[in-house]
Amino acid sequence: MTGNRNWKIRGDKVFIQTYDRFPAAMVRGEGCRLWDADGREYLDFLSGIAVCSLGHSHPAVTEAICRQANTLMHVSNLFYTVPQIELAELLVAHSFADRVFMANSGAEANEAAIKLARIHSGADRYEVISLAGSFHGRTLATVAATGQPKFHEGFEPLPKGFVHAEFGDPAQLEGLISERTCAILCEPLQGESGVRPLDTSYLQAFRKLCDRHGLLLIFDEVQTGMGRTGSLFAYEQLGVIPDIMTVAKALGNGLPIGAMLTTEEIATSLSAGTHASTFGGNPVAAAAAVATMKLMLADDFLEGVRAKGNYLAGRLKDLAASYPDLATGVRGRGLLLGLVLTDKGISLGRTIVERLFDKGVLVNFAGNTVIRCIPPLVINESDIDEMVTKLNDVLKEI
Ligand SMILES: *Cc1c(COP(=O)(O)O)cnc(C)c1O
């Protein structure tokens, strides 16, 4: 009795039911494939929600983890550790930032960013403006920053100091700026709410507003960062440099790690004792992240992401053209893409995802608007063709 059904029954008995899970217990992964407890194989276009970007069980990452686990697992941030220093050096060398704080998750990295923006701006300036449709995490502060009321319901009162601007209207956002405002926080491309890119001109307007009003610009690159959009960080393609940036998801290719990055000048506002994490930048997670980053920075890797992203986008666009009653097109950047559904398509969104799952392909229905494709960045064209063929079959059936 080790099959999916048995694991599902056992899990449903003991977990707090916060997740709506696929009826599969995953037991093994390799590259872009996963296998469940019944031995079924899946082509993974989810990557553990944009986490396993180098694919499952990447040998170089696994080796780095094993070597570090055999050497030193944890000492806390009362000490320096080599992998954490190497990781911070890599992040600094390949971004606008000069300094890094290590956390364990995206929400924690964003908490650090919010705390930094507040302490840097002084006691009277604490308000963060974020966008409708944004997603910044599930802790109380990051859920308050998240611009989706469905994530707030039942958890009020939320921490004060979070204001949401309408999506796509810089003038409306400017109207929300007051003497209390300290920062504008946004994802360069909204992932969870349906793969919605922010126009370059919109992001440039944020930069100008921040400069004019003395605010900090915070980019939440938890999902867009680490190569996902075809550059190491999405901001590189936008001609807009933030003051603070957060990354997490793919940073450790599956080990939990996040980071908050900023400039020398802003970093001085967090002195010893002002912020901390017991596990943040843990040696094993940091070693995984160092190995991950080195592979992402290797020749042609990011170029490959852009090429495969263009290929997948083209195939999805053709699919949308074949089923105009279900899909209107494709949006996103690199290998963070969404097949945009029509109203009829949206009403069938869950069915599309379930039918694809039955055919052994994993995608999700993001923001109740798109079929989101976030495959491992090491995907190849024949895997993409397999996914598109099966998606075509599903769209034809329904
Ligand atoms: C996933 C995500 C988060 C939250 O990350 P966790 O590791 O789940 O806390 C925050 N921001 C964005 C943009 C995300 O996609």
Side-chain angles (χ1 to χ4, degrees):
M1 279 281 272
T2 54
N4 282 331
R5 231 184 86 75
N6 186 48
W7 287 118
K8 180 170 160 38
I9 291 165
R10 286 172 62 176
D12 288 347
K13 219 176 265 173
V14 290
F15 289 132
I16 295 176
Q17 299 287 310
T18 54
Y19 301 106
D20 189 9
R21 300 178 201 254
F22 286 101
M26 296 302 184
V27 294
R28 191 165 74 82
E30 193 183 315
C32 301
R33 307 277 161 170
L34 283 167
W35 287 268
D36 72 14
D38 291 332
R40 284 197 63 204
E41 181 180 316
Y42 300 87
L43 175 57
D44 185 8
F45 268 63
L46 274 176
S47 310
I49 318 185
V51 168
C52 302
S53 283
L54 299 175
H56 299 281
S57 309
H58 190 290
V61 180
T62 303
E63 211 233 278
I65 293 167
C66 293
R67 195 174 348 106
Q68 187 59 45
N70 273 314
T71 310
L72 181 70
M73 195 95 84
H74 176 83
V75 289
S76 88
N77 286 305
L78 296 173
F79 304 92
Y80 295 91
T81 65
V82 177
Q84 192 184 110
I85 294 165
E86 287 181 344
L87 176 60
E89 284 176 347
L90 278 172
L91 287 166
V92 163
H94 297 279
S95 73
F96 72 92
D98 309 303
R99 294 192 175 264
V100 182
F101 176 84
M102 301 281 182
N104 306 289
S105 67
E108 278 188 31
N110 285 337
E111 287 273 347
I114 294 162
K115 287 181 74 176
L116 173 56
R118 284 188 173 185
I119 202 166
H120 181 75
S121 306
D124 303 331
R125 296 175 64 198
Y126 53 84
E127 219 164 68
V128 174
I129 302 176
S130 56
L131 296 183
S134 60
F135 183 81
H136 299 296
R138 301 293 202 124
T139 60
L140 281 169
T142 59
V143 90
T146 292
Q148 300 186 66
K150 68 177 180 192
F151 293 125
H152 300 163
E153 278 159 26
F155 300 112
E156 297 91 350
L158 294 174
K160 350 194 267 179
F162 297 92
V163 176
H164 301 112
E166 287 166 20
F167 185 93
D169 186 349
Q172 191 266 346
L173 186 144
E174 184 165 25
L176 298 174
I177 296 173
S178 72
E179 67 282 0
R180 294 182 302 280
T181 312
C182 68
I184 298 175
L185 164 65
C186 69
E187 301 152 85
L189 184 164
Q190 292 187 345
E192 293 307 303
S193 70
V195 190
R196 291 200 294 175
L198 276 62
D199 284 347
T200 305
S201 61
Y202 188 32
L203 290 162
Q204 285 166 347
F206 287 178
R207 181 70 273 176
K208 286 201 190 99
L209 286 176
C210 285
D211 293 344
R212 190 177 325 138
H213 297 274
L215 313 177
L216 297 174
L217 181 58
I218 307 173
F219 278 179
D220 176 347
E221 292 230 26
V222 168
Q223 186 157 157
T224 55
M226 311 321 298
R228 177 54 57 184
T229 67
S231 47
L232 192 60
F233 306 107
Y235 81 82
E236 297 168 58
Q237 295 175 61
L238 304 167
V240 182
I241 297 176
D243 301 298
I244 300 174
M245 173 173 73
T246 54
V247 293
K249 288 197 163 84
L251 181 58
N253 204 51
L255 283 210
I257 185 164
M260 187 264 288
L261 289 73
T262 192
T263 61
E264 182 70 41
E265 192 257 320
I266 297 166
T268 57
S269 294
L270 284 175
S271 55
T274 52
H275 194 50
S277 167
T278 299
F279 291 117
N282 166 284
V284 180
V290 168
T292 301
M293 273 196 82
K294 284 183 177 164
L295 288 159
M296 288 181 171
L297 292 164
D299 291 347
D300 302 340
F301 183 87
L302 294 168
E303 201 183 304
V305 175
R306 293 194 289 274
K308 289 179 277 191
N310 286 337
Y311 181 71
L312 175 58
R315 298 284 331 250
L316 292 174
K317 211 174 283 170
D318 291 345
L319 214 51
S322 309
Y323 299 95
D325 58 326
L326 295 173
T328 61
V330 56
R331 66 186 180 213
R333 218 180 250 280
L335 282 168
L336 175 48
L337 294 171
L339 178 73
V340 187
L341 302 177
T342 61
D343 286 343
K344 182 179 171 204
I346 287 170
S347 71
L348 292 165
R350 283 184 67 100
T351 312
I352 294 170
V353 170
E354 283 164 16
R355 294 277 180 93
L356 267 176
F357 172 81
D358 291 339
K359 291 184 191 299
V361 175
L362 306 176
V363 296
N364 82 335
F365 185 37
N368 280 326
T369 49
V370 304
I371 300 296
R372 180 172 53 172
C373 297
I374 37 176
L377 304 180
V378 295
I379 193 106
N380 59 37
E381 287 195 1
S382 79
D383 290 332
I384 292 174
D385 290 341
E386 178 183 337
M387 181 271 179
V388 172
T389 303
K390 290 185 173 165
L391 180 55
N392 182 63
D393 292 345
V394 168
L395 298 178
K396 193 162 36 174
E397 282 164 27
I398 59 177

